[in-house]
Amino acid sequence: MSLTGNWSYPTAIKFGAGRIKELPAACAQAGIKRPLLVTDKGLAALPVTQATLDILETAGLGRAMFSEVDPNPNEINLAAGVAAYKAGGHDGVIAFGGGSGLDLGKMVAFMAGQTRPVWDYEDIGDWWTRADSDAIAPIIAVPTTAGTGSEVGRASVITNSVTHVKKIIFHPKVLPAVVICDPELTVGMPKFITAGTGLDAFAHCVEAFSSPHYHPMSQGIALEGMRLVIDYLPRAYEDGTDIEARAQMMSAAAMGATAFQKGLGAIHAMSHPIGAYFNTHHGTTNAVCMPAVLDLNADVIAERFDRAAGYLGIVGGFAGFRSFVQDFNDSLGIPRSLSALGVTAEAIPDLVAGALTDPSCGGNPVPLTEENLTGLFNAAL
C-alpha cells in the first residue's frame, strides 16, 4: 500500500514522502505570493528548514523566515512575528515545525489584521466572533513532528508571559487552507522528541475516546489513532529512518487533533499549567499524567475500553489497557513522575487553579473539582 494521498478532511492535505516539493503549488492554491515561514528557534538553522526555504526561493516566493518562537510560544513571540509579517509586506504564513511553530505561525496570520489583544479571542463562548474574519491571512501548515496535530486545528495555544497561563485562541479560519504532511521531514527527530510527540498524539486519541460528548465520527478516528500509535511509535522510536512508521505516526497525529473535536480532559487540563509554569515538553507531560487520569476516570470509561482493548491488541480490557499505558511509557523512556520533570509540590495549588480554568476541564468524563485535581497532581508527582 502506498502511503500517499490527497485528503480533504478536515482540510486539504497533501500526504506522502517527498511532498514538501509541492509547497509552491500549495502557496498558489492558497493565494499566497509573499509567504513568511514561521518556525521555532531550534529548527531554524537545520537543513530541513533551509531546504524548504530553497524550494520557496527557487519558485520566486522569497525565503523570508521568522523564528523567534519559544517552546511554549507567548504573546511576546506573537507581537514580534506580527511585526515581521507587516514589515515584510507578506500575504500569508507557512507555519512550519512542531506544535510551537505551527501554533505561533497560525496566530501571526490571525493577528496580523486584528485590532484587539489576542486574549480577546480566547476559546470562550462566541469570543471568536469578535475577530475580523476577512483580515485573517491564508495559512499553509507543514508539520515536522508527529504529535500535536496543530496542522489540522482551528486554534493555537499561547502562554501569557505575565500570568504563566496557557490560553487557547480559536477561530474557524485559523484552520490551515493547505497542509503538507511529508514524513521525510520527521526523520531527523531525536528519540525523546519522537516519544514525546508520539505520546501527545496518543493522549489526544485517548482523551477524545474517553470524552462523554457525542461525536461518533471522532470516536472512530480516536480508536484507529490509538492503534496506529501502539503499532508504529515503537518502530519510529527504535529506527528514526523507518519511513512507514514515520508516515503512520504523522497520520495518527492529524487523527488525534481531528478526534479531539469531541473533547479533551484532565490530562490536558493538568499539562497546560505545568507547561506554562515549568516549561516542560507538552507531550511528555501528557504521558506522565495519563496513568493517574485513567485511574480517576476508570468507573466511567472502563466499559468502552473493555470493547476497544481487543481491537488494540491488548488483553484484559480496561485493566489491561491501564497496565499497557504504563509499560508503553516505560519502553519509550518517559519518566514515571512529574517531579522528574521538575514539578514541585509547592506549585500544586497554582497548578490546580490553572487546570480549573482550562477549557479541557469540560471534556473530562468525571467532573473536575479542586479536590480531585489536587489528588491527580499529587498522584502524578
Side-chain angles (χ1 to χ4, degrees), residues 152-335:
V152 293
R154 300 168 295 168
S156 292
V157 179
I158 302 295
T159 300
N160 186 312
S161 66
V162 177
T163 64
H164 301 290
V165 174
K166 288 191 174 187
K167 298 291 187 179
I168 298 175
I169 312 301
F170 167 85
H171 193 283
K173 287 187 69 174
V174 168
L175 180 68
V178 184
V179 178
I180 295 179
C181 284
D182 183 342
E184 290 182 350
L185 303 182
T186 69
V187 166
M189 277 196 297
K191 280 192 169 186
F192 79 97
I193 296 294
T194 297
T197 53
L199 289 169
D200 189 22
F202 190 60
H204 292 158
C205 293
V206 169
E207 290 215 283
F209 194 76
S210 301
S211 168
H213 303 311
Y214 180 72
H215 199 322
M217 291 180 286
S218 286
Q219 195 76 344
I221 292 169
L223 178 60
E224 177 65 0
M226 284 190 281
R227 185 191 70 80
L228 291 179
V229 176
I230 289 169
D231 287 354
Y232 291 100
L233 180 54
R235 283 177 48 178
Y237 182 75
E238 290 301 325
D239 178 6
T241 65
D242 184 337
I243 200 67
E244 180 187 9
R246 291 296 195 188
Q248 297 285 15
M249 284 305 302
M250 188 163 266
S251 292
M255 291 167 72
T258 302
F260 72 59
Q261 292 181 29
K262 184 172 177 279
L264 292 170
I267 294 173
H268 279 77
M270 295 172 70
S271 184
H272 284 153
I274 290 169
Y277 275 82
F278 294 97
N279 206 32
T280 58
H281 183 269
H282 175 67
T284 303
T285 310
N286 281 343
V288 176
C289 293
M290 189 179 298
V293 173
L294 288 172
D295 290 341
L296 173 71
N297 293 332
D299 290 345
V300 180
I301 66 175
E303 184 178 351
R304 73 189 70 173
F305 277 94
D306 284 343
R307 296 193 302 269
Y311 180 73
L312 298 174
I314 295 171
V315 176
F318 172 76
F321 181 83
R322 167 62 178 85
S323 178
F324 167 83
V325 165
Q326 187 61 68
D327 292 343
F328 200 47
N329 281 354
D330 292 344
S331 73
L332 296 165
I334 300 298

Side-chain angles (χ1 to χ4, degrees), residues 63-80:
R63 56 183 305 119
M65 177 175 68
F66 174 79
S67 61
E68 292 303 307
V69 181
D70 293 322
N72 289 294
N74 55 46
E75 82 284 3
I76 299 171
N77 301 153
L78 177 57

Side-chain angles (χ1 to χ4, degrees), residues 40-56:
D40 63 73
K41 298 172 184 176
L43 199 57
L46 294 184
V48 66
T49 309
Q50 295 305 311
T52 300
L53 290 170
D54 289 344
I55 291 170
L56 291 173

